Amino acid sequence: MTKETTNQTTNKEALIIVDMSVDFVATDGGLTVGEPAQAIVPYIRELADDFLAAGMPVVIAMDAHQPNDPHFNLWPVHNVVDTKGQALYGELAEWYQVNQNETLVSYYPKENYNSFFQTGLAADLRKVGVETVHVVGVTTDICVFNTISGADAEGFKTVTHRRGVATFTALGEIMLEHMTRCFHTVVID
């Protein structure tokens, strides 16, 4: 969180960390964003600490593909269930190891770009009174964008942290603008 959002923060907000896996972040990952994704890890970890300290939910939403997933007709193999590539990357893996048993921390495997699609995430967030979701992770123009779209379709207000998203294309800024236009997403610098 930033100083601008601290005063607005209530227990009705949650953080969703999208696809920060070895395959998406590590230099040798199967579908890596590489250095831009590595650069956002400290910001995301700090944000996760802030949310947890404030008593707000932190969600890890992670691609979970089977080895023969038709998704691999479109993309290189990545995030195969129970592989090193699907594991959280670096400092985020350490953070999760320490905090995974906290009641406010949850992990949602997903087969779709949208973290809300057939995962039960929306219902679970509603049960604890969440009204606004903050979304960070990779990639800005694919899974982050689709998660923002999914959150909007489920009736949540959305926030994206510019310093907490990255992509391997030149579409990052365009998609942040598109999120603002289409879903009234608040973009925090």
Side-chain angles (χ1 to χ4, degrees):
M1 284 176 297
T2 65
K3 289 180 182 175
E4 299 92 294
T5 61
T6 303
N7 293 336
Q8 300 169 4
T9 301
T10 68
N11 59 359
K12 297 181 180 185
E13 297 183 42
L15 175 65
I16 302 174
I17 301 170
V18 179
D19 288 340
M20 291 299 289
S21 69
V22 170
D23 270 344
F24 281 115
V25 181
T27 302
D28 60 349
L31 185 56
T32 190
V33 175
E35 289 181 14
Q38 294 162 22
I40 67 174
V41 169
Y43 179 82
I44 292 173
R45 183 175 178 160
E46 182 179 327
L47 200 59
D49 283 337
D50 289 349
F51 268 74
L52 202 53
M56 296 182 291
V58 177
V59 173
I60 308 292
M62 186 67 73
D63 259 14
H65 298 294
Q66 296 302 316
N68 60 349
D69 194 319
H71 187 73
F72 300 142
N73 293 332
L74 301 171
W75 301 102
V77 175
H78 63 280
N79 279 50
V80 173
V81 174
D82 295 327
T83 64
K84 177 186 172 194
Q86 192 201 25
L88 275 164
Y89 176 83
E91 288 181 45
L92 294 173
E94 295 165 11
W95 183 91
Y96 185 70
Q97 186 66 32
V98 169
N99 294 293
Q100 65 184 330
N101 294 321
E102 296 282 341
T103 56
L104 292 171
V105 175
S106 54
Y107 185 102
Y108 287 79
K110 62 185 186 70
E111 295 179 11
N112 188 275
Y113 305 120
N114 172 3
S115 300
F116 288 89
F117 183 74
Q118 297 181 349
T119 62
L121 177 57
D124 291 346
L125 291 176
R126 281 191 199 97
K127 284 179 193 172
V128 295
V130 171
E131 296 174 356
T132 300
V133 294
H134 294 245
V135 181
V136 295
V138 295
T139 66
T140 312
D141 49 335
I142 304 171
C143 292
V144 170
F145 177 81
N146 281 286
T147 294
I148 290 286
S149 173
D152 179 74
E154 291 287 349
F156 295 98
K157 295 174 185 166
T158 57
V159 177
T160 304
H161 295 246
R162 187 183 314 274
R163 293 189 304 147
V165 294
T167 187
F168 42 59
T169 73
L171 297 175
E173 287 300 316
I174 292 168
M175 295 312 284
L176 287 172
E177 182 182 319
H178 201 55
M179 289 178 218
T180 301
R181 181 178 295 123
C182 294
F183 311 119
H184 306 286
T185 299
V186 174
V187 176
I188 295 175
D189 288 319

